[in-house]
Amino acid sequence: MSERLQIRADDLSGGEVQALLAEHLADMYATSPADSVHALDLEALRAPDITFYSAWDDGTLLGCGALRDLGDGHLEIKSMRAVREHRGRGTGAAMLLHLLAEAARRGAARVSLETGVEDYFAPARRLYARHGFVECPPFADYVPDPHSVFMTRAV
């Protein structure tokens, strides 16, 4: 990963970020049954309980991720995505470390996430496991779903 990598809070107004999120949603619907897709659209990501971040290197968008405040010191990771051309280069790990550091800065006790069971999601599950996430029961408003894996870790 370049030393020039910058991760910053993002207002979701940029065309590159919007295109990445549209690709993310399209891939989620292409790989999971519609009723098992928990990815948020652009408007949902603008909710006041969500902080969205984008990762850039010298003006090039590399990826994104968000934190949703579930209350009681519990945060949820949403919309983790690396730009297709930059996958496997550490963008996901850099974003995840940023989100975990932000969770610690906010005084969170726990960070959780939902991802898919399909092979498409295997690299994401491995990334999360490498950073201390373990499988857990559904949290917040989630319900058991055979197409979802729920993971969590203490901060």
Side-chain angles (χ1 to χ4, degrees), residues 24-25 27-40 76 78 113-118 120-121 141-150:
H24 179 61
L25 278 174
D27 281 354
M28 297 305 96
Y29 283 101
T31 56
S32 299
D35 60 347
S36 293
V37 173
H38 303 288
L40 301 176
E76 178 184 8
K78 298 295 294 180
L113 60 93
E114 179 276 337
T115 191
V117 298
E118 292 82 3
Y120 176 86
F121 298 100
D141 295 333
Y142 291 104
V143 296
D145 183 336
H147 299 281
S148 290
V149 174
F150 302 97

Side-chain angles (χ1 to χ4, degrees), residues 7-32:
I7 298 176
R8 60 183 182 240
D10 193 299
D11 67 5
L12 298 150
S13 64
E16 290 173 282
V17 168
Q18 291 178 7
L20 179 59
L21 290 168
E23 175 187 282
H24 179 61
L25 278 174
D27 281 354
M28 297 305 96
Y29 283 101
T31 56
S32 299

Side-chain angles (χ1 to χ4, degrees), residues 18-80:
Q18 291 178 7
L20 179 59
L21 290 168
E23 175 187 282
H24 179 61
L25 278 174
D27 281 354
M28 297 305 96
Y29 283 101
T31 56
S32 299
D35 60 347
S36 293
V37 173
H38 303 288
L40 301 176
D41 66 17
L42 198 58
E43 287 312 308
L45 286 167
R46 289 187 170 127
D49 61 342
I50 296 177
T51 307
F52 184 85
Y53 300 92
S54 56
W56 300 83
D57 183 356
D58 196 28
T60 300
L61 178 64
L62 301 182
C64 62
L67 285 173
R68 170 184 264 166
D69 189 340
L70 301 174
D72 295 325
H74 193 183
L75 299 177
E76 178 184 8
I77 293 176
K78 298 295 294 180
S79 301
M80 279 276 296

Side-chain angles (χ1 to χ4, degrees), residues 68-146:
R68 170 184 264 166
D69 189 340
L70 301 174
D72 295 325
H74 193 183
L75 299 177
E76 178 184 8
I77 293 176
K78 298 295 294 180
S79 301
M80 279 276 296
R81 179 77 173 193
V83 171
R84 201 170 263 125
E85 299 81 35
H86 296 285
R87 289 189 186 151
R89 298 182 187 174
T91 300
M95 179 59 73
L96 182 58
L97 290 172
H98 175 81
L99 296 176
L100 291 171
E102 179 62 16
R105 188 191 68 74
R106 293 184 189 186
R110 178 153 304 283
V111 176
S112 301
L113 60 93
E114 179 276 337
T115 191
V117 298
E118 292 82 3
D119 289 344
Y120 176 86
F121 298 100
R125 291 191 307 268
R126 286 191 300 270
L127 171 67
Y128 299 132
R130 276 196 311 272
H131 290 277
F133 285 83
V134 296
E135 288 190 31
C136 66
F139 58 91
D141 295 333
Y142 291 104
V143 296
D145 183 336

